[in-house]
Amino acid sequence: MMMMILKLIKNNGISIDDIIDECKNFYYAGQETTSSLLGWTIFLLATNKEWQEKARKEVAESFGQKVPNADGLSSLKIMNMILDESLRLYPPVPFIKRKVELTLPPKMLIYISPLAVQHDHKIWGEHVHVFKPDRFAEGVVKATNNNPVAFLPFGYGPQTCLGLNFAMIKAKISLSMILQRYMFTTSPTYVKITFHKI
């Protein structure tokens, strides 16, 4: 790995400071997206007790009160569905920017909003704004009506975020440990605001 970095520095004129800045970027971006995912997931589970209990039961069956391990993490189907639905409803990145090189004018920038795509009722159904983790029970392709590019909280294809797997593992470990120790509810003074089309 170090040889690859040194070769990259030599061939491309990238400084050590540039590499340190990139590492910091990976670290901080990963912290923000994972904390956003966990915050929204805990809120959704606090407002959907049946899913909180399903997740807690799955964690108890997989780990008991022990620290989560790799084998158990890979078997957390309910937690995966909950995290995917949380990412669909509240994607951690507001937009994705891509530079066009082909059909459209060169160097044109296109901004894609995961929030807009992941709230399209034509793709996700009439209950698009409802927390329904079971929509992911048979995977992303089935959940998106055979349009997997409609689920892109970490981007899609060759431009998928490098931190996707790390963020999901971190979220599963954190949420498992939280569910082992705590139950959560919304505050009695919490008021849900809904918007209606005029």
Side-chain angles (χ1 to χ4, degrees):
M1 179 70 169
M2 188 55 143
M3 293 302 292
M4 185 176 80
I5 292 172
L6 292 174
K7 185 176 180 182
L8 188 65
I9 292 169
K10 182 180 176 187
N11 292 344
N12 297 311
I14 297 174
S15 71
I16 295 292
D17 287 340
D18 290 338
I19 290 175
I20 290 169
D21 286 345
E22 287 299 319
C23 290
K24 286 178 184 176
N25 188 32
F26 280 129
Y27 177 78
Y28 292 119
Q31 290 292 98
E32 281 298 311
T33 55
T34 306
S35 64
S36 171
L37 169 58
L38 286 170
W40 283 114
T41 301
I42 288 171
F43 168 77
L44 289 166
L45 291 176
T47 57
N48 294 273
K49 296 277 188 217
E50 68 282 358
W51 283 102
Q52 183 179 157
E53 288 311 312
K54 287 179 185 182
R56 182 173 288 104
K57 182 179 178 194
E58 182 180 58
V59 167
E61 289 170 0
S62 296
F63 309 117
Q65 288 300 313
K66 295 180 182 169
V67 175
N69 58 49
D71 291 335
L73 288 176
S74 63
S75 69
L76 296 176
K77 183 176 181 179
I78 290 170
M79 187 174 297
N80 281 336
M81 294 179 343
I82 289 168
L83 291 172
D84 282 348
E85 182 67 346
S86 182
L87 285 166
R88 184 190 71 77
L89 288 169
Y90 302 103
V93 178
F95 62 87
I96 299 167
K97 178 175 73 171
R98 295 291 178 257
K99 188 188 311 182
V100 177
E101 298 289 341
L102 301 171
T103 312
L104 297 172
K107 305 210 187 301
M108 177 181 224
L109 296 177
I110 294 182
Y111 291 86
I112 302 163
S113 169
L115 190 61
V117 175
Q118 292 171 186
H119 285 85
D120 185 337
H121 71 278
K122 293 175 194 150
I123 297 168
W124 298 95
E126 71 177 89
H127 300 292
V128 69
H129 301 294
V130 177
F131 180 69
K132 290 181 54 167
D134 52 335
R135 75 176 82 233
F136 287 97
E138 297 179 51
V140 172
V141 173
K142 186 82 168 173
T144 59
N145 292 315
N146 296 316
N147 192 8
V149 76
F151 182 64
L152 40 91
F154 289 94
Y156 192 81
Q159 298 292 319
T160 300
C161 174
L162 294 172
L164 165 63
N165 291 329
F166 179 70
M168 293 303 284
I169 289 169
K170 189 174 176 182
K172 287 181 198 177
I173 291 170
S174 300
L175 191 56
S176 293
M177 294 177 82
I178 291 168
L179 287 166
Q180 287 173 325
R181 293 163 177 80
Y182 303 100
M183 294 178 70
F184 23 94
T185 61
T186 54
S187 164
T189 59
Y190 170 73
V191 177
K192 181 177 180 181
I193 298 173
T194 57
F195 294 90
H196 302 281
K197 209 172 195 177
I198 299 175

